[in-house]
Amino acid sequence: MLSHSQPQGDTISFVVDCPGDGSLGQPPSEEGMDQMRAWKMGVLTEKRRGLNIEPYDARGWVEEENPLPSWLRLAGVVFLGVGLWAWSEKGVLSDLTKVTRMHGIDPVVLVLMVGVVMFTLGFAGCVGALRENICLLNFFCGTIVLIFFLELAVAVLAFLFQDWVRDRFREFFESNIKSYRDDIDLQNLIDSLQKANQCCGAYGPEDWDLNVYFNCSGASYSREKCGVPFSCCVPDPAQKVVNTQCGYDVRIQLKSKWDESIFTKGCIQALESWLPRNIYIVAGVFIAISLLQIFGIFLARTLISDIEAVKAGHHF
């Protein structure tokens, strides 16, 4: 058994009993090896922390020192649950080809992708720590490093190539305008964006000609012909109920009268004007996420170094 005597001066005494078969020179049993390993972990903890000798506690590392893997795993489960629930409500789980037939982007796909990444990272971090699996811990650490540098690269490239980013965002927005009525989640996302930024279309209300329901051509028989979604309408403070038909036939009128009933500024221009006004908030969020990632990387590397040192049989 492993015992720890009271310190006398600067000396700490240990008695390690590694039971074998009772014969001198015989290798210790599995129980004895476990005790020796626990002693090594205790010495390592003493040297690294300057605390009293205590057994190495991987569960404590996961739950107290670095709760990031647990948070990631929990958040991943939540995202996956919400995404699968949304797909089941839309009938996608019974017919997965609906995803490929959609021209725009399904927001649920993004939710599921984020959920898979977060759950995978959380699972690798927790299991890697609890099972002292260096391979899983390296995967956890390396993936976070990769995500960190990808975020940094995207931020730098977006700043350096603003025209290219603007064109790609216009193409992305116009593609989703075409699919506005194809998916309820995409529809709600576009409506929320237009209402929050008081904008309409990518560069203006005319962009809604790209959608077959709002197109002004003579071939369209839609009741929404030459109109815009209700999220483009200027809200009326006197109305307590949202008028979802407020955008009907708006674009039949003269352009000079559009701004009386709908927003005429495009959403790309609105976002471009929003970013400078909120640059400190955006920078603060980015820095907070980066610090959290760096913190997780540091603690994971520290644990990997500790496990490698103990497995190598280093004595202090």
PDB file of all heavy atoms in Angstrom, residues 256-289:
ATOM      1  N   SER A 256     -39.878  56.762 -56.187  1.00  0.00           N
ATOM      2  CA  SER A 256     -39.790  57.895 -55.257  1.00  0.00           C
ATOM      3  C   SER A 256     -40.715  57.719 -54.056  1.00  0.00           C
ATOM      4  O   SER A 256     -40.521  58.383 -53.026  1.00  0.00           O
ATOM      5  CB  SER A 256     -40.135  59.196 -55.997  1.00  0.00           C
ATOM      6  OG  SER A 256     -41.441  59.124 -56.563  1.00  0.00           O
ATOM      7  N   LYS A 257     -41.692  56.821 -54.175  1.00  0.00           N
ATOM      8  CA  LYS A 257     -42.630  56.610 -53.073  1.00  0.00           C
ATOM      9  C   LYS A 257     -42.330  55.347 -52.266  1.00  0.00           C
ATOM     10  O   LYS A 257     -43.032  55.068 -51.291  1.00  0.00           O
ATOM     11  CB  LYS A 257     -44.062  56.531 -53.616  1.00  0.00           C
ATOM     12  CG  LYS A 257     -44.541  57.821 -54.270  1.00  0.00           C
ATOM     13  CD  LYS A 257     -45.998  57.695 -54.700  1.00  0.00           C
ATOM     14  CE  LYS A 257     -46.516  59.001 -55.299  1.00  0.00           C
ATOM     15  NZ  LYS A 257     -47.949  58.885 -55.725  1.00  0.00           N
ATOM     16  N   TRP A 258     -41.314  54.597 -52.694  1.00  0.00           N
ATOM     17  CA  TRP A 258     -41.011  53.343 -52.004  1.00  0.00           C
ATOM     18  C   TRP A 258     -40.647  53.558 -50.538  1.00  0.00           C
ATOM     19  O   TRP A 258     -41.062  52.795 -49.663  1.00  0.00           O
ATOM     20  CB  TRP A 258     -39.863  52.629 -52.709  1.00  0.00           C
ATOM     21  CG  TRP A 258     -40.268  51.960 -53.990  1.00  0.00           C
ATOM     22  CD1 TRP A 258     -41.500  52.013 -54.594  1.00  0.00           C
ATOM     23  CD2 TRP A 258     -39.447  51.157 -54.827  1.00  0.00           C
ATOM     24  NE1 TRP A 258     -41.504  51.296 -55.761  1.00  0.00           N
ATOM     25  CE2 TRP A 258     -40.243  50.742 -55.935  1.00  0.00           C
ATOM     26  CE3 TRP A 258     -38.133  50.747 -54.773  1.00  0.00           C
ATOM     27  CZ2 TRP A 258     -39.751  49.939 -56.950  1.00  0.00           C
ATOM     28  CZ3 TRP A 258     -37.639  49.945 -55.787  1.00  0.00           C
ATOM     29  CH2 TRP A 258     -38.433  49.543 -56.862  1.00  0.00           C
ATOM     30  N   ASP A 259     -39.837  54.596 -50.288  1.00  0.00           N
ATOM     31  CA  ASP A 259     -39.338  54.782 -48.925  1.00  0.00           C
ATOM     32  C   ASP A 259     -40.432  55.172 -47.937  1.00  0.00           C
ATOM     33  O   ASP A 259     -40.203  55.227 -46.727  1.00  0.00           O
ATOM     34  CB  ASP A 259     -38.227  55.818 -48.895  1.00  0.00           C
ATOM     35  CG  ASP A 259     -38.652  57.157 -49.483  1.00  0.00           C
ATOM     36  OD1 ASP A 259     -39.818  57.279 -49.914  1.00  0.00           O
ATOM     37  OD2 ASP A 259     -37.821  58.082 -49.506  1.00  0.00           O
ATOM     38  N   GLU A 260     -41.637  55.436 -48.429  1.00  0.00           N
ATOM     39  CA  GLU A 260     -42.751  55.733 -47.533  1.00  0.00           C
ATOM     40  C   GLU A 260     -43.298  54.467 -46.870  1.00  0.00           C
ATOM     41  O   GLU A 260     -43.915  54.544 -45.804  1.00  0.00           O
ATOM     42  CB  GLU A 260     -43.876  56.437 -48.311  1.00  0.00           C
ATOM     43  CG  GLU A 260     -43.466  57.790 -48.882  1.00  0.00           C
ATOM     44  CD  GLU A 260     -44.582  58.418 -49.698  1.00  0.00           C
ATOM     45  OE1 GLU A 260     -45.684  57.792 -49.747  1.00  0.00           O
ATOM     46  OE2 GLU A 260     -44.377  59.498 -50.276  1.00  0.00           O
ATOM     47  N   SER A 261     -43.088  53.312 -47.522  1.00  0.00           N
ATOM     48  CA  SER A 261     -43.685  52.076 -47.006  1.00  0.00           C
ATOM     49  C   SER A 261     -42.675  50.946 -46.787  1.00  0.00           C
ATOM     50  O   SER A 261     -42.942  50.038 -45.990  1.00  0.00           O
ATOM     51  CB  SER A 261     -44.787  51.581 -47.952  1.00  0.00           C
ATOM     52  OG  SER A 261     -44.283  51.455 -49.273  1.00  0.00           O
ATOM     53  N   ILE A 262     -41.526  50.989 -47.477  1.00  0.00           N
ATOM     54  CA  ILE A 262     -40.548  49.916 -47.320  1.00  0.00           C
ATOM     55  C   ILE A 262     -39.141  50.498 -47.172  1.00  0.00           C
ATOM     56  O   ILE A 262     -38.897  51.670 -47.498  1.00  0.00           O
ATOM     57  CB  ILE A 262     -40.564  48.927 -48.519  1.00  0.00           C
ATOM     58  CG1 ILE A 262     -40.166  49.664 -49.809  1.00  0.00           C
ATOM     59  CG2 ILE A 262     -41.903  48.247 -48.653  1.00  0.00           C
ATOM     60  CD1 ILE A 262     -39.996  48.740 -51.007  1.00  0.00           C
ATOM     61  N   PHE A 263     -38.231  49.671 -46.671  1.00  0.00           N
ATOM     62  CA  PHE A 263     -36.817  50.062 -46.589  1.00  0.00           C
ATOM     63  C   PHE A 263     -36.207  49.955 -47.987  1.00  0.00           C
ATOM     64  O   PHE A 263     -36.424  48.971 -48.695  1.00  0.00           O
ATOM     65  CB  PHE A 263     -36.051  49.163 -45.625  1.00  0.00           C
ATOM     66  CG  PHE A 263     -36.620  49.133 -44.235  1.00  0.00           C
ATOM     67  CD1 PHE A 263     -37.069  47.933 -43.676  1.00  0.00           C
ATOM     68  CD2 PHE A 263     -36.713  50.295 -43.476  1.00  0.00           C
ATOM     69  CE1 PHE A 263     -37.595  47.896 -42.392  1.00  0.00           C
ATOM     70  CE2 PHE A 263     -37.243  50.270 -42.190  1.00  0.00           C
ATOM     71  CZ  PHE A 263     -37.684  49.067 -41.653  1.00  0.00           C
ATOM     72  N   THR A 264     -35.463  50.956 -48.359  1.00  0.00           N
ATOM     73  CA  THR A 264     -34.861  50.963 -49.697  1.00  0.00           C
ATOM     74  C   THR A 264     -33.360  50.692 -49.668  1.00  0.00           C
ATOM     75  O   THR A 264     -32.747  50.525 -50.720  1.00  0.00           O
ATOM     76  CB  THR A 264     -35.112  52.318 -50.383  1.00  0.00           C
ATOM     77  OG1 THR A 264     -34.609  53.380 -49.555  1.00  0.00           O
ATOM     78  CG2 THR A 264     -36.599  52.534 -50.608  1.00  0.00           C
ATOM     79  N   LYS A 265     -32.780  50.656 -48.476  1.00  0.00           N
ATOM     80  CA  LYS A 265     -31.343  50.381 -48.367  1.00  0.00           C
ATOM     81  C   LYS A 265     -31.094  48.887 -48.420  1.00  0.00           C
ATOM     82  O   LYS A 265     -31.826  48.097 -47.821  1.00  0.00           O
ATOM     83  CB  LYS A 265     -30.805  50.965 -47.060  1.00  0.00           C
ATOM     84  CG  LYS A 265     -29.317  50.755 -46.851  1.00  0.00           C
ATOM     85  CD  LYS A 265     -28.822  51.536 -45.646  1.00  0.00           C
ATOM     86  CE  LYS A 265     -29.517  51.113 -44.377  1.00  0.00           C
ATOM     87  NZ  LYS A 265     -28.956  51.775 -43.170  1.00  0.00           N
ATOM     88  N   GLY A 266     -30.053  48.491 -49.151  1.00  0.00           N
ATOM     89  CA  GLY A 266     -29.705  47.082 -49.230  1.00  0.00           C
ATOM     90  C   GLY A 266     -29.053  46.588 -47.944  1.00  0.00           C
ATOM     91  O   GLY A 266     -28.469  47.360 -47.178  1.00  0.00           O
ATOM     92  N   CYS A 267     -29.142  45.271 -47.706  1.00  0.00           N
ATOM     93  CA  CYS A 267     -28.616  44.711 -46.462  1.00  0.00           C
ATOM     94  C   CYS A 267     -27.085  44.699 -46.437  1.00  0.00           C
ATOM     95  O   CYS A 267     -26.487  44.755 -45.357  1.00  0.00           O
ATOM     96  CB  CYS A 267     -29.150  43.294 -46.267  1.00  0.00           C
ATOM     97  SG  CYS A 267     -30.913  43.248 -45.863  1.00  0.00           S
ATOM     98  N   ILE A 268     -26.455  44.623 -47.595  1.00  0.00           N
ATOM     99  CA  ILE A 268     -24.991  44.686 -47.618  1.00  0.00           C
ATOM    100  C   ILE A 268     -24.520  46.063 -47.172  1.00  0.00           C
ATOM    101  O   ILE A 268     -23.578  46.192 -46.371  1.00  0.00           O
ATOM    102  CB  ILE A 268     -24.458  44.350 -49.027  1.00  0.00           C
ATOM    103  CG1 ILE A 268     -24.756  42.883 -49.364  1.00  0.00           C
ATOM    104  CG2 ILE A 268     -22.966  44.629 -49.124  1.00  0.00           C
ATOM    105  CD1 ILE A 268     -24.279  42.452 -50.727  1.00  0.00           C
ATOM    106  N   GLN A 269     -25.165  47.098 -47.669  1.00  0.00           N
ATOM    107  CA  GLN A 269     -24.813  48.458 -47.236  1.00  0.00           C
ATOM    108  C   GLN A 269     -25.120  48.653 -45.757  1.00  0.00           C
ATOM    109  O   GLN A 269     -24.367  49.323 -45.040  1.00  0.00           O
ATOM    110  CB  GLN A 269     -25.592  49.473 -48.078  1.00  0.00           C
ATOM    111  CG  GLN A 269     -25.268  49.405 -49.570  1.00  0.00           C
ATOM    112  CD  GLN A 269     -26.400  49.976 -50.413  1.00  0.00           C
ATOM    113  OE1 GLN A 269     -27.566  49.580 -50.257  1.00  0.00           O
ATOM    114  NE2 GLN A 269     -26.068  50.868 -51.322  1.00  0.00           N
ATOM    115  N   ALA A 270     -26.214  48.073 -45.279  1.00  0.00           N
ATOM    116  CA  ALA A 270     -26.566  48.204 -43.868  1.00  0.00           C
ATOM    117  C   ALA A 270     -25.533  47.524 -42.978  1.00  0.00           C
ATOM    118  O   ALA A 270     -25.154  48.068 -41.931  1.00  0.00           O
ATOM    119  CB  ALA A 270     -27.953  47.600 -43.625  1.00  0.00           C
ATOM    120  N   LEU A 271     -25.066  46.345 -43.383  1.00  0.00           N
ATOM    121  CA  LEU A 271     -24.050  45.641 -42.598  1.00  0.00           C
ATOM    122  C   LEU A 271     -22.714  46.377 -42.637  1.00  0.00           C
ATOM    123  O   LEU A 271     -21.979  46.410 -41.637  1.00  0.00           O
ATOM    124  CB  LEU A 271     -23.886  44.213 -43.121  1.00  0.00           C
ATOM    125  CG  LEU A 271     -25.067  43.271 -42.865  1.00  0.00           C
ATOM    126  CD1 LEU A 271     -24.842  41.937 -43.568  1.00  0.00           C
ATOM    127  CD2 LEU A 271     -25.261  43.044 -41.369  1.00  0.00           C
ATOM    128  N   GLU A 272     -22.392  46.980 -43.768  1.00  0.00           N
ATOM    129  CA  GLU A 272     -21.146  47.747 -43.882  1.00  0.00           C
ATOM    130  C   GLU A 272     -21.158  48.971 -42.976  1.00  0.00           C
ATOM    131  O   GLU A 272     -20.121  49.362 -42.434  1.00  0.00           O
ATOM    132  CB  GLU A 272     -20.917  48.170 -45.332  1.00  0.00           C
ATOM    133  CG  GLU A 272     -20.489  47.029 -46.248  1.00  0.00           C
ATOM    134  CD  GLU A 272     -20.322  47.484 -47.678  1.00  0.00           C
ATOM    135  OE1 GLU A 272     -20.841  48.579 -48.025  1.00  0.00           O
ATOM    136  OE2 GLU A 272     -19.664  46.771 -48.456  1.00  0.00           O
ATOM    137  N   SER A 273     -22.311  49.570 -42.808  1.00  0.00           N
ATOM    138  CA  SER A 273     -22.405  50.725 -41.908  1.00  0.00           C
ATOM    139  C   SER A 273     -22.525  50.293 -40.446  1.00  0.00           C
ATOM    140  O   SER A 273     -22.152  51.038 -39.542  1.00  0.00           O
ATOM    141  CB  SER A 273     -23.601  51.601 -42.295  1.00  0.00           C
ATOM    142  OG  SER A 273     -24.811  50.863 -42.203  1.00  0.00           O
ATOM    143  N   TRP A 274     -23.037  49.067 -40.214  1.00  0.00           N
ATOM    144  CA  TRP A 274     -23.176  48.565 -38.844  1.00  0.00           C
ATOM    145  C   TRP A 274     -21.830  48.198 -38.239  1.00  0.00           C
ATOM    146  O   TRP A 274     -21.586  48.440 -37.052  1.00  0.00           O
ATOM    147  CB  TRP A 274     -24.086  47.340 -38.834  1.00  0.00           C
ATOM    148  CG  TRP A 274     -24.216  46.672 -37.508  1.00  0.00           C
ATOM    149  CD1 TRP A 274     -25.115  46.962 -36.524  1.00  0.00           C
ATOM    150  CD2 TRP A 274     -23.403  45.608 -36.990  1.00  0.00           C
ATOM    151  NE1 TRP A 274     -24.925  46.140 -35.436  1.00  0.00           N
ATOM    152  CE2 TRP A 274     -23.875  45.305 -35.694  1.00  0.00           C
ATOM    153  CE3 TRP A 274     -22.331  44.881 -37.496  1.00  0.00           C
ATOM    154  CZ2 TRP A 274     -23.306  44.299 -34.911  1.00  0.00           C
ATOM    155  CZ3 TRP A 274     -21.757  43.882 -36.717  1.00  0.00           C
ATOM    156  CH2 TRP A 274     -22.246  43.603 -35.444  1.00  0.00           C
ATOM    157  N   LEU A 275     -20.939  47.634 -39.042  1.00  0.00           N
ATOM    158  CA  LEU A 275     -19.671  47.134 -38.519  1.00  0.00           C
ATOM    159  C   LEU A 275     -18.804  48.226 -37.898  1.00  0.00           C
ATOM    160  O   LEU A 275     -18.316  48.045 -36.766  1.00  0.00           O
ATOM    161  CB  LEU A 275     -18.900  46.409 -39.631  1.00  0.00           C
ATOM    162  CG  LEU A 275     -17.610  45.698 -39.211  1.00  0.00           C
ATOM    163  CD1 LEU A 275     -17.909  44.664 -38.140  1.00  0.00           C
ATOM    164  CD2 LEU A 275     -16.941  45.042 -40.409  1.00  0.00           C
ATOM    165  N   PRO A 276     -18.579  49.387 -38.545  1.00  0.00           N
ATOM    166  CA  PRO A 276     -17.766  50.422 -37.887  1.00  0.00           C
ATOM    167  C   PRO A 276     -18.367  50.933 -36.583  1.00  0.00           C
ATOM    168  O   PRO A 276     -17.632  51.271 -35.651  1.00  0.00           O
ATOM    169  CB  PRO A 276     -17.700  51.539 -38.945  1.00  0.00           C
ATOM    170  CG  PRO A 276     -17.975  50.858 -40.241  1.00  0.00           C
ATOM    171  CD  PRO A 276     -18.939  49.769 -39.924  1.00  0.00           C
ATOM    172  N   ARG A 277     -19.697  50.959 -36.498  1.00  0.00           N
ATOM    173  CA  ARG A 277     -20.342  51.449 -35.277  1.00  0.00           C
ATOM    174  C   ARG A 277     -20.188  50.465 -34.121  1.00  0.00           C
ATOM    175  O   ARG A 277     -20.255  50.878 -32.956  1.00  0.00           O
ATOM    176  CB  ARG A 277     -21.842  51.697 -35.524  1.00  0.00           C
ATOM    177  CG  ARG A 277     -22.155  52.771 -36.526  1.00  0.00           C
ATOM    178  CD  ARG A 277     -23.613  53.218 -36.401  1.00  0.00           C
ATOM    179  NE  ARG A 277     -24.517  52.079 -36.417  1.00  0.00           N
ATOM    180  CZ  ARG A 277     -25.113  51.604 -37.506  1.00  0.00           C
ATOM    181  NH1 ARG A 277     -24.863  52.180 -38.683  1.00  0.00           N
ATOM    182  NH2 ARG A 277     -25.929  50.578 -37.440  1.00  0.00           N
ATOM    183  N   ASN A 278     -19.984  49.203 -34.433  1.00  0.00           N
ATOM    184  CA  ASN A 278     -19.908  48.170 -33.388  1.00  0.00           C
ATOM    185  C   ASN A 278     -18.585  47.424 -33.420  1.00  0.00           C
ATOM    186  O   ASN A 278     -18.510  46.267 -33.019  1.00  0.00           O
ATOM    187  CB  ASN A 278     -21.067  47.183 -33.566  1.00  0.00           C
ATOM    188  CG  ASN A 278     -22.426  47.828 -33.449  1.00  0.00           C
ATOM    189  OD1 ASN A 278     -22.970  47.973 -32.369  1.00  0.00           O
ATOM    190  ND2 ASN A 278     -22.984  48.233 -34.584  1.00  0.00           N
ATOM    191  N   ILE A 279     -17.542  48.099 -33.899  1.00  0.00           N
ATOM    192  CA  ILE A 279     -16.247  47.438 -34.059  1.00  0.00           C
ATOM    193  C   ILE A 279     -15.681  46.965 -32.727  1.00  0.00           C
ATOM    194  O   ILE A 279     -15.051  45.903 -32.642  1.00  0.00           O
ATOM    195  CB  ILE A 279     -15.245  48.387 -34.771  1.00  0.00           C
ATOM    196  CG1 ILE A 279     -13.965  47.639 -35.131  1.00  0.00           C
ATOM    197  CG2 ILE A 279     -14.982  49.606 -33.929  1.00  0.00           C
ATOM    198  CD1 ILE A 279     -14.150  46.524 -36.113  1.00  0.00           C
ATOM    199  N   TYR A 280     -15.921  47.729 -31.656  1.00  0.00           N
ATOM    200  CA  TYR A 280     -15.390  47.334 -30.347  1.00  0.00           C
ATOM    201  C   TYR A 280     -16.099  46.088 -29.807  1.00  0.00           C
ATOM    202  O   TYR A 280     -15.477  45.236 -29.167  1.00  0.00           O
ATOM    203  CB  TYR A 280     -15.502  48.494 -29.364  1.00  0.00           C
ATOM    204  CG  TYR A 280     -14.615  49.665 -29.700  1.00  0.00           C
ATOM    205  CD1 TYR A 280     -15.156  50.874 -30.125  1.00  0.00           C
ATOM    206  CD2 TYR A 280     -13.226  49.552 -29.614  1.00  0.00           C
ATOM    207  CE1 TYR A 280     -14.338  51.944 -30.447  1.00  0.00           C
ATOM    208  CE2 TYR A 280     -12.401  50.617 -29.938  1.00  0.00           C
ATOM    209  CZ  TYR A 280     -12.961  51.818 -30.351  1.00  0.00           C
ATOM    210  OH  TYR A 280     -12.157  52.873 -30.678  1.00  0.00           O
ATOM    211  N   ILE A 281     -17.390  45.983 -30.070  1.00  0.00           N
ATOM    212  CA  ILE A 281     -18.125  44.790 -29.644  1.00  0.00           C
ATOM    213  C   ILE A 281     -17.641  43.565 -30.402  1.00  0.00           C
ATOM    214  O   ILE A 281     -17.388  42.506 -29.817  1.00  0.00           O
ATOM    215  CB  ILE A 281     -19.641  44.992 -29.856  1.00  0.00           C
ATOM    216  CG1 ILE A 281     -20.149  46.145 -28.985  1.00  0.00           C
ATOM    217  CG2 ILE A 281     -20.401  43.711 -29.557  1.00  0.00           C
ATOM    218  CD1 ILE A 281     -21.616  46.469 -29.187  1.00  0.00           C
ATOM    219  N   VAL A 282     -17.476  43.717 -31.733  1.00  0.00           N
ATOM    220  CA  VAL A 282     -16.996  42.601 -32.553  1.00  0.00           C
ATOM    221  C   VAL A 282     -15.593  42.183 -32.114  1.00  0.00           C
ATOM    222  O   VAL A 282     -15.305  40.987 -31.959  1.00  0.00           O
ATOM    223  CB  VAL A 282     -17.009  42.994 -34.045  1.00  0.00           C
ATOM    224  CG1 VAL A 282     -16.384  41.894 -34.897  1.00  0.00           C
ATOM    225  CG2 VAL A 282     -18.435  43.269 -34.510  1.00  0.00           C
ATOM    226  N   ALA A 283     -14.713  43.174 -31.900  1.00  0.00           N
ATOM    227  CA  ALA A 283     -13.350  42.865 -31.469  1.00  0.00           C
ATOM    228  C   ALA A 283     -13.345  42.207 -30.098  1.00  0.00           C
ATOM    229  O   ALA A 283     -12.566  41.269 -29.846  1.00  0.00           O
ATOM    230  CB  ALA A 283     -12.515  44.140 -31.447  1.00  0.00           C
ATOM    231  N   GLY A 284     -14.207  42.677 -29.191  1.00  0.00           N
ATOM    232  CA  GLY A 284     -14.270  42.090 -27.857  1.00  0.00           C
ATOM    233  C   GLY A 284     -14.722  40.640 -27.891  1.00  0.00           C
ATOM    234  O   GLY A 284     -14.163  39.789 -27.180  1.00  0.00           O
ATOM    235  N   VAL A 285     -15.717  40.336 -28.720  1.00  0.00           N
ATOM    236  CA  VAL A 285     -16.182  38.952 -28.845  1.00  0.00           C
ATOM    237  C   VAL A 285     -15.077  38.069 -29.420  1.00  0.00           C
ATOM    238  O   VAL A 285     -14.828  36.949 -28.939  1.00  0.00           O
ATOM    239  CB  VAL A 285     -17.445  38.889 -29.731  1.00  0.00           C
ATOM    240  CG1 VAL A 285     -17.807  37.448 -30.053  1.00  0.00           C
ATOM    241  CG2 VAL A 285     -18.607  39.585 -29.042  1.00  0.00           C
ATOM    242  N   PHE A 286     -14.390  38.571 -30.434  1.00  0.00           N
ATOM    243  CA  PHE A 286     -13.310  37.800 -31.051  1.00  0.00           C
ATOM    244  C   PHE A 286     -12.184  37.535 -30.053  1.00  0.00           C
ATOM    245  O   PHE A 286     -11.656  36.419 -29.963  1.00  0.00           O
ATOM    246  CB  PHE A 286     -12.764  38.554 -32.270  1.00  0.00           C
ATOM    247  CG  PHE A 286     -11.630  37.846 -32.962  1.00  0.00           C
ATOM    248  CD1 PHE A 286     -11.866  36.779 -33.809  1.00  0.00           C
ATOM    249  CD2 PHE A 286     -10.318  38.251 -32.751  1.00  0.00           C
ATOM    250  CE1 PHE A 286     -10.817  36.122 -34.446  1.00  0.00           C
ATOM    251  CE2 PHE A 286      -9.261  37.605 -33.378  1.00  0.00           C
ATOM    252  CZ  PHE A 286      -9.515  36.534 -34.234  1.00  0.00           C
ATOM    253  N   ILE A 287     -11.807  38.557 -29.285  1.00  0.00           N
ATOM    254  CA  ILE A 287     -10.735  38.390 -28.297  1.00  0.00           C
ATOM    255  C   ILE A 287     -11.148  37.417 -27.204  1.00  0.00           C
ATOM    256  O   ILE A 287     -10.347  36.578 -26.764  1.00  0.00           O
ATOM    257  CB  ILE A 287     -10.351  39.767 -27.706  1.00  0.00           C
ATOM    258  CG1 ILE A 287      -9.679  40.641 -28.777  1.00  0.00           C
ATOM    259  CG2 ILE A 287      -9.433  39.602 -26.501  1.00  0.00           C
ATOM    260  CD1 ILE A 287      -9.409  42.060 -28.332  1.00  0.00           C
ATOM    261  N   ALA A 288     -12.405  37.503 -26.748  1.00  0.00           N
ATOM    262  CA  ALA A 288     -12.877  36.592 -25.699  1.00  0.00           C
ATOM    263  C   ALA A 288     -12.836  35.144 -26.167  1.00  0.00           C
ATOM    264  O   ALA A 288     -12.380  34.244 -25.441  1.00  0.00           O
ATOM    265  CB  ALA A 288     -14.292  36.983 -25.278  1.00  0.00           C
ATOM    266  N   ILE A 289     -13.288  34.902 -27.401  1.00  0.00           N
ATOM    267  CA  ILE A 289     -13.255  33.538 -27.945  1.00  0.00           C
ATOM    268  C   ILE A 289     -11.812  33.059 -28.100  1.00  0.00           C
ATOM    269  O   ILE A 289     -11.490  31.904 -27.778  1.00  0.00           O
ATOM    270  CB  ILE A 289     -13.998  33.487 -29.292  1.00  0.00           C
ATOM    271  CG1 ILE A 289     -15.487  33.772 -29.083  1.00  0.00           C
ATOM    272  CG2 ILE A 289     -13.808  32.133 -29.969  1.00  0.00           C
ATOM    273  CD1 ILE A 289     -16.275  33.868 -30.369  1.00  0.00           C
TER     274      ILE A 289
END
